[in-house]
Amino acid sequence: MDMARGDNITLSTLRATVHLGAHADGPNHYGKDAPAIHERSLDYYLGPCQVIRVNVERSMRITARILARNITAPRVLFATGTYPDPENWNADFAALSVELIDLLHDRGVITVGIDTPSVDLFESKDLPAHKALLRHDMAILEGLVLKDVPEGTYELVALPLPLVGFDASPVRAVLIKK
């Protein structure tokens, strides 16, 4: 329905994957019998976070050596610049290494976000980064647009919708400068 055509209201329809754009993966997306997105605590998606720019080549995983920064918040968002235009697909984006995820967990990180479509490389079928995050019960944010966001500490608001049984949810990720 469309008021511009003379209807009494405008009524829109949306049909898409829940992994569209910026989104939170539910653990059931990559773990058998793992919690769905509606079962995740909102604490993962709301609170202090640190944006970190990393110099990583396309199709490479971010390692602890590449990180070389002090972690100052329980939520970390990585700006890789390897997926520069969300309107145009490129399969050679960067991803996270298991070693890095283990290090982040040891430093108290509960949520990891990235400016690419996945925390794993595009061609990965065994999903080692997803599985490491599941093992540590860490939350995942993917598809973040961090192009113009300076490094620093922010308040993150990226609440998933309570989609019962779903394996992800779109989020409108907002960073508030502290």
Side-chain angles (χ1 to χ4, degrees):
M1 299 179 81
D2 189 345
M3 290 173 60
R5 289 190 321 238
D7 295 319
N8 65 326
I9 60 171
T10 296
L11 185 63
S12 302
T13 300
L14 173 68
R15 181 177 168 91
T17 174
V18 289
H19 296 267
L20 178 70
H23 66 276
D25 275 358
N28 64 336
H29 175 54
Y30 44 89
K32 188 176 187 220
D33 299 322
I37 195 65
H38 79 282
E39 298 172 293
R40 297 296 271 172
S41 169
L42 294 181
D43 292 340
Y44 288 106
Y45 311 102
L46 179 65
C49 83
Q50 181 179 3
V51 173
I52 298 175
R53 296 199 162 280
V54 290
N55 185 12
V56 61
E57 293 182 34
R58 289 176 179 260
S59 298
M60 299 299 292
R61 291 187 182 272
I62 304 167
T63 64
R65 183 182 54 76
I66 291 172
L67 177 61
R69 299 234 187 13
N70 190 26
I71 303 302
T72 62
R75 295 160 200 84
V76 176
L77 311 180
F78 289 103
T80 70
T82 62
Y83 195 75
D85 182 0
E87 301 290 322
N88 292 298
W89 174 260
N90 66 277
D92 60 346
F93 52 81
L96 306 177
S97 69
V98 171
E99 163 205 27
L100 174 66
I101 293 164
D102 291 342
L103 172 75
L104 293 171
H105 175 262
D106 290 346
R107 294 192 181 167
V109 173
I110 62 170
T111 301
V112 179
I114 194 163
D115 65 349
T116 66
S118 178
V119 294
D120 275 299
L121 297 173
F122 175 69
E123 62 275 350
S124 175
K125 299 297 179 229
D126 57 344
L127 305 175
H130 280 87
K131 290 183 177 162
L133 290 157
L134 179 65
R135 186 175 72 249
H136 292 305
D137 192 30
M138 296 167 74
I140 299 173
L141 291 169
E142 296 169 329
L144 300 171
V145 177
L146 300 170
K147 183 177 72 169
D148 297 321
V149 178
E151 279 195 332
T153 304
Y154 298 85
E155 189 75 15
L156 172 68
V157 180
L159 303 177
L161 300 170
L163 302 172
V164 176
F166 278 62
D167 60 303
S169 171
V171 300
R172 185 163 186 181
V174 176
L175 294 172
I176 302 165
K177 189 67 179 160
K178 292 182 104 178

